[in-house]
Amino acid sequence: MEQHRTRPAQHGQRREPAPGPSATPRTSRPHGPPLPPQAGRAAGGGVARSPRAQRPQRPPGRRPAPPPPARRIPKPRLTGLGGGLFCGGVMLVLGLLTEALFGASLTVYGVLFLPVSVLTALWVRARDLLIAPVVVPIAFAVGLAPVADEGDGSTPDRLMGMVTGLATQAGWLYGGTLLAGVLVLVRRVRRVRTANRRLARNRGAGRTAV
């Protein structure tokens, strides 16, 4: 009789081999191009963001450059002597032009005197504010020389014409001088208020530091 050979019993239970990558079930996918992701959903299931919502990230530590400041027209600042020369020179030129164009009209000369007085009071620097109301009437008399001409144009006739012009055109003279004085007073008050505000700020900053 043939003896059947039996295999020796193995110790322990028999282990099943782990399923490899080839053992994973595969789902059949229809042939064709991939479907587009749904609106508002990404392909992996997340929320899709529109390209408009994505903003370029700024590098850390750098801030956008501030816009350049607007250019302002620099205001001229004349000294006391410069203001006197400016006012006297302009009035002399205006007097010559008035004599050549308007037949030595004192009214035209008086009207032109007002804006020159205003500019002189505005352009004089803060240290020489009180000089503006002084140089304005002097400049009026200087520019009146070519306009107020009586007689044959000799020196005595011109002096007499200047005296007559100052007497008859006193309204324009006082008006221009008054305008210059008011503007100087306003500038003076503003300067004092600005100085007081700065002093108060400095005192408040000193108390806070202590």
Side-chain angles (χ1 to χ4, degrees):
M1 293 179 68
E2 294 182 358
Q3 296 180 356
H4 296 280
R5 295 180 179 179
T6 59
R7 295 180 180 179
Q10 297 180 355
H11 299 282
Q13 298 179 357
R14 187 177 182 181
R15 297 180 180 179
E16 296 289 339
S22 60
T24 56
R26 296 182 180 180
T27 58
S28 61
R29 191 180 286 180
H31 298 283
L35 297 177
Q38 299 180 0
R41 295 282 182 178
V47 180
R49 295 183 179 181
S50 60
R52 295 183 180 180
Q54 298 178 358
R55 298 180 179 179
Q57 297 181 357
R58 299 176 181 175
R62 298 183 63 182
R63 297 181 179 179
R71 296 182 178 180
R72 297 181 180 180
I73 301 177
K75 296 181 180 180
R77 287 291 178 261
L78 302 175
T79 61
L81 180 60
L85 293 177
F86 166 77
C87 190
V90 172
M91 291 310 302
L92 182 60
V93 173
L94 292 178
L96 294 173
L97 292 177
T98 302
E99 182 184 8
L101 300 177
F102 300 99
S105 175
L106 294 177
T107 304
V108 175
Y109 178 78
V111 172
L112 295 176
F113 172 68
L114 298 180
V116 176
S117 302
V118 172
L119 292 178
T120 304
L122 292 177
W123 287 355
V124 173
R125 64 182 183 180
R127 297 180 181 179
D128 302 328
L129 284 176
L130 299 179
I131 300 179
V134 178
V135 300
V136 164
I138 298 176
F140 183 87
V142 171
L144 193 63
V147 179
D149 185 12
E150 293 183 0
D152 54 355
S154 60
T155 302
D157 293 339
R158 288 188 177 276
L159 291 177
M160 185 62 65
M162 289 180 61
V163 173
T164 305
L166 291 174
T168 56
Q169 304 299 321
W172 299 111
L173 176 61
Y174 293 153
T177 307
L178 182 61
L179 285 176
V182 170
L183 291 176
V184 166
L185 182 61
V186 171
R187 290 185 57 189
R188 180 67 179 177
V189 172
R190 292 181 60 182
R191 184 186 180 189
V192 172
R193 289 183 177 178
T194 304
N196 292 336
R197 290 176 182 176
R198 291 179 180 176
L199 184 60
R201 290 177 183 176
N202 294 336
R203 290 179 179 178
R207 294 177 181 176
T208 305
V210 173

